[in-house]
Amino acid sequence: MTLASRPSGLALGPALLLGVAGAVVGAALGACSLAVSFDECRNDGDCLTKMGEQWTCDQGHCVAPSGDDSTTATSVTPTTESPTTATTGAPTTSAESSTGQVSATTTGDSTSGSSTGEGSSSSDTGVVACTLNSECEAALGDNFLCVETLCVDALSEECQVLVWPSQGSHDKVVLLASIIPASPPFDSITVPLQNAVQLAIEDYNRTTDLPGGKRIAWLACDDAGSAEKALAAAEHLTGALKVPAIVGPVFSEQVIEVATKVTIPASTFLITPSATSKQITNLADNDLVWRPISSDVYQSNALADRVLALAATRVAMLGKADAYGKGIISDVTKVLNPKLGAKFKSFEYPDPVSKPPDQIMADYAAILADAWGDKGLHPDHVLIAGTSEAINLVLGTMLAWGAENPPPTQPRFIVTHGAVPSMEDIVNSAPDGIKALLMPYVEGVAPDVLDPQNFAAFNIRYKIRFNDSDAITASSLGYDATMVTIFAMAAIPAGEPVTGPAIAGNMGKLVDAMGTKVSFDDVDGTDLLFIKKAHNALVSKKTVDLKGVSGELTFDLATGEVRTNVIGWGLTPKMGMPTVPVLTPMRVYVLDPPPAVTGTWMDL
């Protein structure tokens, strides 16, 4: 029997959750947008100035024709070693642009050509007409772009991180946006995912161009885990900016809200890296909603079967009161309730961003008190369907039960994939006296989203780019979601508009088993051969078969998602350090042949 359709994964060290270290390196710079480039040019085509003059590319710098007193083209931004990001508190104004900080601004499919000089601000309306992004930059500042003949501010309250492509004209770009809650309390698991989005864009831009010589610009939005903010970001992106594609949101509740209310009506392509609610499978989405991760229906059955295999006698299940938590509770209940009856109880808890932290903790305490039941009858297994708030749920349980005399038997905690990246922090945050005791009683289940060889190649670039921090496993999803979106853009012929339906219509070209084999570990030093191979095939109207950082990207074209086995994660002590946990794959839930949603657990 084949153990897994995807390799089972790597045992990643304690640095697994530390990807936040280099994520928002410009945050301390203040309320400003910031984005700069690697080099000014790769060829003379990158050196067309805002005035329509053709300069030449000399060792990465645009050089004026002989006799011109200037030394660099006015259309080219200042350079640095790598694109830099910064979160801002308010949209940057034209006055703020005097700091020398440059922001990426573009439309989904901007036109190019020389400026006519006709775009000007109306004294009574403040509206600036345009045909090019560069006209808006000249008139209003670097945050503005040309959308349907008018200059528009690219920034909004939620969308404050912009990055220009490393080279080329601002008039030859396609905007790719993301909606990811990069602020607390989710930042430890979401900033590494956002980093991966940025790395995918940078990797593509430094390797090749889209047809027509266009590159990718990036606008990052932070929904702070709030559906309201996610909707506001999506409305800005699809309304004012007319973006063709969005990576995110990352939570199921926000994906469902954004897709049904905003992106599907706007015909915008949406690919969520990590949302797993089974409700997403059946959205009436016109093929516009995709995800490189499998539905919760598989991990729900894996979780229930794991509980039964452990011969649990009393089980309390805690789930976040959203589409994700409620969906998993529902599916697990269908399996466990007939087996355990009254010995299985489920409880919902509020989203950790819905109330102030002190009130949330009080709510958690009340839920845990209900879950425990009468003294001496506490559950021996506690299941948590949530995200990083699982840290407080576990530690709250341990501390409260430890105060009883005599204390109850140590329960086993099993978390779902949203909290698997926080498993090490559960133990690291515990009092020293219980770390070693707690470690073997914390485990998790998650869809298989990691190809060991491809992840290793990806992690090398990630560490170099983000201050020597290791990527977390979920970063593979951010990278793959972004790269497949760009590949689908690359299959759009030069001269045709880059739109959501056009991107979605090309997804089938990425999953052809008879197409060119492309594995994301195909690199030679800094040369990303896999990008060149996929790009060359797609622009030649051929198809590809992708194996990403997360594994085989075999999207079901009917549902827009993949089907994978489930990994059972545990914690093992770091060698020589018995209280330091290491997240480790321990077992795999091998799915039965399609269309089955059940499987069998096997130890690794």
Side-chain angles (χ1 to χ4, degrees), residues 502-544:
I503 296 169
N506 285 333
M507 290 295 286
K509 299 177 182 178
L510 311 182
V511 295
D512 183 3
M514 303 303 293
T516 301
K517 305 296 181 184
V518 177
S519 181
F520 288 15
D521 69 330
D522 188 4
V523 299
D524 182 10
T526 60
D527 196 1
L528 304 180
L529 302 177
F530 73 92
I531 293 179
K532 292 182 179 179
K533 184 183 293 186
H535 171 88
N536 291 341
L538 292 166
V539 299
S540 301
K541 299 183 179 180
K542 298 178 181 179
T543 60
V544 295

Side-chain angles (χ1 to χ4, degrees), residues 276-295:
T276 53
S277 170
K278 66 179 184 178
Q279 293 182 39
I280 297 172
T281 302
N282 298 319
L283 288 177
D285 61 0
N286 299 324
D287 295 329
L288 290 167
V289 179
W290 297 74
R291 52 181 171 178
I293 190 170
S294 58
S295 163

Side-chain angles (χ1 to χ4, degrees), residues 301-316 335-336 339-340 379-384 409-415 439-445 568-570 586-587 589 601-603:
N301 283 315
L303 176 58
D305 286 352
R306 176 61 178 162
V307 171
L308 294 175
L310 291 168
T313 58
R314 289 185 300 277
V315 179
V335 179
L336 294 186
K339 303 285 187 180
L340 298 176
D380 48 38
H381 287 73
V382 177
L383 317 181
I384 301 174
T409 302
Q410 169 68 50
R412 180 177 296 273
F413 298 94
I414 309 179
V415 302
M439 196 181 307
Y441 288 91
V442 177
E443 61 179 81
V445 297
W569 293 88
M586 310 290 284
R587 58 195 67 86
Y589 189 71
W601 278 109
M602 302 180 68
D603 290 335

Side-chain angles (χ1 to χ4, degrees), residues 21-358:
V24 192
V25 295
L29 295 176
C32 56
S33 67
L34 177 62
V36 292
S37 54
F38 284 104
D39 297 304
E40 292 175 349
C41 62
R42 287 186 294 186
N43 52 56
D44 291 350
D46 296 329
C47 296
L48 183 67
T49 74
K50 292 177 180 177
M51 301 304 296
E53 299 174 346
Q54 182 61 64
W55 292 14
T56 58
C57 183
D58 183 8
Q59 298 181 347
H61 295 277
C62 291
V63 179
S66 177
D68 194 316
D69 292 335
S70 302
T71 57
T72 57
T74 57
S75 64
V76 179
T77 62
T79 61
T80 186
E81 288 300 311
S82 62
T84 309
T85 62
T87 48
T88 67
T92 301
T93 65
S94 57
E96 288 171 322
S97 66
S98 63
T99 62
Q101 296 163 343
V102 186
S103 58
T105 52
T106 180
T107 62
D109 187 25
S110 62
T111 59
S112 61
S114 61
S115 171
T116 64
E118 295 175 357
S120 62
S121 176
S122 168
S123 60
D124 56 345
T125 66
V127 174
V128 176
C130 61
T131 57
L132 299 171
N133 289 336
S134 54
E135 293 174 333
C136 299
E137 292 182 86
L140 298 172
D142 295 318
N143 299 331
F144 288 81
L145 57 145
C146 187
V147 182
E148 296 181 345
T149 74
L150 294 178
C151 293
V152 177
D153 191 344
L155 300 181
S156 71
E157 182 177 350
E158 292 78 23
C159 304
Q160 290 284 305
V161 181
L162 299 97
V163 180
W164 276 111
S166 60
Q167 305 142 3
S169 167
H170 293 185
D171 294 321
K172 298 184 71 174
V173 288
V174 173
L175 181 64
L176 179 59
S178 63
I179 302 177
I180 295 174
S183 54
F186 306 110
D187 51 328
S188 64
I189 59 177
T190 55
V191 169
L193 194 151
Q194 179 171 277
N195 288 347
V197 173
Q198 181 175 0
L199 182 60
I201 294 170
E202 292 175 3
D203 281 352
Y204 195 91
N205 279 339
R206 71 184 178 88
T207 302
T208 188
D209 306 326
L210 293 175
K214 297 174 183 176
R215 296 185 175 91
I216 307 295
W218 175 47
L219 175 59
C221 306
D222 183 353
D223 64 21
S226 161
E228 181 180 357
K229 289 181 178 293
L231 286 168
E235 288 166 354
H236 173 67
L237 295 172
T238 62
L241 301 182
K242 304 293 189 294
V243 299
I246 297 172
V247 178
V250 302
F251 297 144
S252 295
E253 188 84 3
Q254 284 86 317
V255 169
I256 295 169
E257 286 281 296
V258 165
T260 56
K261 295 181 179 179
V262 181
T263 60
I264 296 172
S267 294
T268 302
F269 180 87
L270 183 150
I271 184 164
T272 172
S274 55
T276 53
S277 170
K278 66 179 184 178
Q279 293 182 39
I280 297 172
T281 302
N282 298 319
L283 288 177
D285 61 0
N286 299 324
D287 295 329
L288 290 167
V289 179
W290 297 74
R291 52 181 171 178
I293 190 170
S294 58
S295 163
D296 280 333
V297 67
Y298 306 110
Q299 74 163 322
S300 295
N301 283 315
L303 176 58
D305 286 352
R306 176 61 178 162
V307 171
L308 294 175
L310 291 168
T313 58
R314 289 185 300 277
V315 179
M317 182 162 195
L318 310 178
K320 191 160 67 169
D322 62 6
Y324 175 71
K326 291 179 179 179
I328 295 178
I329 285 178
S330 176
D331 284 345
V332 171
T333 299
K334 292 175 183 177
V335 179
L336 294 186
N337 196 51
K339 303 285 187 180
L340 298 176
K343 294 182 179 179
F344 171 77
K345 296 181 180 180
S346 63
F347 307 84
E348 295 178 4
Y349 60 85
D351 190 300
V353 300
S354 64
K355 298 179 182 178
D358 56 343

Side-chain angles (χ1 to χ4, degrees), residues 373-388:
D374 296 331
K375 185 175 181 179
L377 294 177
H378 296 319
D380 48 38
H381 287 73
V382 177
L383 317 181
I384 301 174
T387 55
S388 56

